[in-house]
């Protein structure tokens, strides 16, 4: 490279220097919002902080899904200024939503020269959270937090935002669930009461605000889902049945989030496998309120001859996937 530079004619060297100075001047005016709104620019910054390959592809898809959810105008992508205006105008009423919005707006205005890896990660976490809570008629839903890949989790990423392809899930997310957070909470309360399967006001901290959309999806699929989806829902309700025979899918005495199984696209065969597993858990835990121990006993029995499956069971335990 040094030899190549020495071989440049003097005039080209002057031009190159001039272009470099112009770029530096324009770069100084670049803000984080400009980077997030530009996929190639985001890719360069992810690479700069060691996020490459499939991990970078995942993150870029989360950002694209989030922007598409917040800015629902066909396939058009917003400019940086338009995106910032949409975020600023989000009608955040809960204190948690407002914290995320205020933190994101502060980061979006940060100059490129001052950006840290934490700024990039925190801004994307906030963008995903807000898109999940305030996205308009979007087929995207926040997946299990524990499902963030190990490499991305180590970088500080908290959420994934996947666009659902299942036709019934898309129907619920885009046509049935309210996009306004307060209306969504009311929808959940109405459906829980209608089916007599729990009370959100008595669920403590079991259902985080960012998980309400996944719970709403479960409740919507209970009414319009496919046979395989409704069979799995019935099995989840069986595992949610207490010693008195009452179903409560948001029970602090039996804290699980099996209803989040539908926040990712799973195949019919996977649904059937989960249905069989949960039916076995329910059958072996009758009269017991908390089902967690039975769930893992059965999984460990199935995995005893497979080190790979044993590792996966241990991950489920360590990350509190589904059972808290």
């Amino acid at each position: 490279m040094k030899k190549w530079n020495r071989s440049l004619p003097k005039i080209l060297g002057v031009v190159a220097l001039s272009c470099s100075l112009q770029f530096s001047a324009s770069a100084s005016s670049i803000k984080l919002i400009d980077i997030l709104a530009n996929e190639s620019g985001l890719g360069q910054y992810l690479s700069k902080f060691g996020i490459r390959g499939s991990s970078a592809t995942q993150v870029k898809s989360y950002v694209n899904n989030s922007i598409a959810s917040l800015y629902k105008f066909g396939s058009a992508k917003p400019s940086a200024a338009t995106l910032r205006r949409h975020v600023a105008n989000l009608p955040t009423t809960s204190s948690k939503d407002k914290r995320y919005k205020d933190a994101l707006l502060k980061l979006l205005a940060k100059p490129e020269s001052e950006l840290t890896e934490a700024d990039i990660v925190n801004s994307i976490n906030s963008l995903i959270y807000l898109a999940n809570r305030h996205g308009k008629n979007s087929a995207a839903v926040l997946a299990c937090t524990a499902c963030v890949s190990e490499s991305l989790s180590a970088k500080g990423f908290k959420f994934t935002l996947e666009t659902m392809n299942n036709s019934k899930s898309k129907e619920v997310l885009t046509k049935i669930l309210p996009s306004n957070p307060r209306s969504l909470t009311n929808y959940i309360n109405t459906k829980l009461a209608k089916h007599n399967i729990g009370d959100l006001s008595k669920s403590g901290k079991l259902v985080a605000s960012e998980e309400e959309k996944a719970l709403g999806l479960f409740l919507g699929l209970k009414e319009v889902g496919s046979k395989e989806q409704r069979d799995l829902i019935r099995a989840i309700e069986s595992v949610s049945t207490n010693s008195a025979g009452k179903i409560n899918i948001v029970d602090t005495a039996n804290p699980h989030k099996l209803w989040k199984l539908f926040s990712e696209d799973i195949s019919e065969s996977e649904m059937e496998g989960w249905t069989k597993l949960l039916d076995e858990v329910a059958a072996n835990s009758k009269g017991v309120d908390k089902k967690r121990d039975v769930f893992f006993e059965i999984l460990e029995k199935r995995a005893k001859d497979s080190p790979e499956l044993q590792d996966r069971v241990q991950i489920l335990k360590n990350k509190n996937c589904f059972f808290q």
Side-chain angles (χ1 to χ4, degrees), residues 98-116:
K98 191 174 186 305
R99 284 198 306 273
Y100 269 100
K101 184 175 85 169
D102 290 347
L104 179 57
L105 287 172
K106 185 176 180 180
L107 285 172
L108 292 181
K110 197 165 186 179
E112 177 250 11
S113 59
E114 299 176 14
L115 289 178
T116 66

Side-chain angles (χ1 to χ4, degrees), residues 70 86-106 122-123 125-136 142 159 178-185 207-213:
L70 288 171
H86 266 68
V87 173
N89 290 336
L90 290 177
T92 50
T93 52
S94 77
S95 58
K96 185 174 182 179
D97 287 13
K98 191 174 186 305
R99 284 198 306 273
Y100 269 100
K101 184 175 85 169
D102 290 347
L104 179 57
L105 287 172
K106 185 176 180 180
N122 291 336
S123 68
N125 281 335
S126 295
L127 185 66
I128 293 172
Y129 174 91
L130 292 169
N132 176 68
R133 289 281 285 166
H134 297 273
K136 305 297 183 185
L142 200 76
F159 310 122
S179 56
N180 177 277
R182 280 188 174 177
S183 299
L184 176 60
T185 301
V207 184
S209 57
E210 63 268 23
E211 295 172 320
E212 287 191 8
K213 195 170 183 180

Side-chain angles (χ1 to χ4, degrees), residues 171-201:
E171 179 185 348
V172 173
L173 291 168
T174 62
K175 297 180 180 178
I176 296 176
L177 293 190
S179 56
N180 177 277
R182 280 188 174 177
S183 299
L184 176 60
T185 301
N186 291 337
Y187 172 89
I188 290 170
N189 285 326
T190 299
K191 295 302 180 182
L192 287 173
K194 174 184 175 181
H195 298 293
N196 195 25
I197 54 174
D199 185 342
L200 195 59
S201 68

Side-chain angles (χ1 to χ4, degrees), residues 36-254:
L36 291 180
N38 183 306
E39 187 171 346
S40 61
L42 175 60
Q44 291 173 16
Y45 265 83
L46 293 175
S47 179
K48 175 182 177 180
F49 294 122
I51 303 168
R52 304 182 180 91
S54 60
S55 292
T57 300
Q58 279 182 292
V59 174
K60 286 190 286 185
S61 75
Y62 302 156
V63 172
N64 286 336
N65 290 342
S66 298
I67 292 174
S69 181
L70 288 171
Y71 184 81
K72 199 68 178 174
F73 291 98
S75 59
K77 289 194 70 174
S79 66
T82 301
L83 177 59
R84 191 187 188 287
R85 188 165 61 251
H86 266 68
V87 173
N89 290 336
L90 290 177
T92 50
T93 52
S94 77
S95 58
K96 185 174 182 179
D97 287 13
K98 191 174 186 305
R99 284 198 306 273
Y100 269 100
K101 184 175 85 169
D102 290 347
L104 179 57
L105 287 172
K106 185 176 180 180
L107 285 172
L108 292 181
K110 197 165 186 179
E112 177 250 11
S113 59
E114 299 176 14
L115 289 178
T116 66
E117 179 179 354
D119 292 333
I120 297 287
V121 172
N122 291 336
S123 68
I124 293 173
N125 281 335
S126 295
L127 185 66
I128 293 172
Y129 174 91
L130 292 169
N132 176 68
R133 289 281 285 166
H134 297 273
K136 305 297 183 185
N137 303 114
S138 169
V141 63
L142 200 76
C144 175
T145 305
C147 294
V148 177
S149 70
E150 292 290 343
S151 59
L152 290 178
S153 180
K155 290 286 187 181
F157 287 95
K158 296 179 181 179
F159 310 122
T160 69
L161 193 71
E162 306 287 356
T163 298
M164 306 295 288
N165 292 313
N166 179 272
S167 60
K168 292 297 184 181
S169 295
K170 287 176 73 172
E171 179 185 348
V172 173
L173 291 168
T174 62
K175 297 180 180 178
I176 296 176
L177 293 190
S179 56
N180 177 277
R182 280 188 174 177
S183 299
L184 176 60
T185 301
N186 291 337
Y187 172 89
I188 290 170
N189 285 326
T190 299
K191 295 302 180 182
L192 287 173
K194 174 184 175 181
H195 298 293
N196 195 25
I197 54 174
D199 185 342
L200 195 59
S201 68
K202 297 178 181 178
S203 63
K205 297 182 179 179
L206 184 58
V207 184
S209 57
E210 63 268 23
E211 295 172 320
E212 287 191 8
K213 195 170 183 180
L215 179 55
L217 174 60
F218 172 93
L219 293 167
L221 288 173
K222 180 176 173 62
E223 297 184 347
V224 304
S226 66
K227 178 184 181 302
E228 292 77 16
Q229 287 168 328
R230 285 184 282 110
D231 284 345
L232 178 51
I233 287 167
R234 189 238 348 121
I236 291 171
E237 291 177 348
S238 294
V239 174
S240 306
T241 304
N242 63 22
S243 55
K246 183 174 177 57
I247 298 172
N248 186 351
I249 65 169
V250 288
D251 188 357
T252 55
N254 179 30

Side-chain angles (χ1 to χ4, degrees), residues 278-295:
L278 296 179
D279 279 342
E280 187 175 349
V281 172
N284 284 274
S285 59
K286 284 184 178 178
V288 177
D289 285 336
K290 195 170 184 177
K291 316 289 185 178
R292 185 182 190 278
D293 291 343
V294 175
F295 175 79

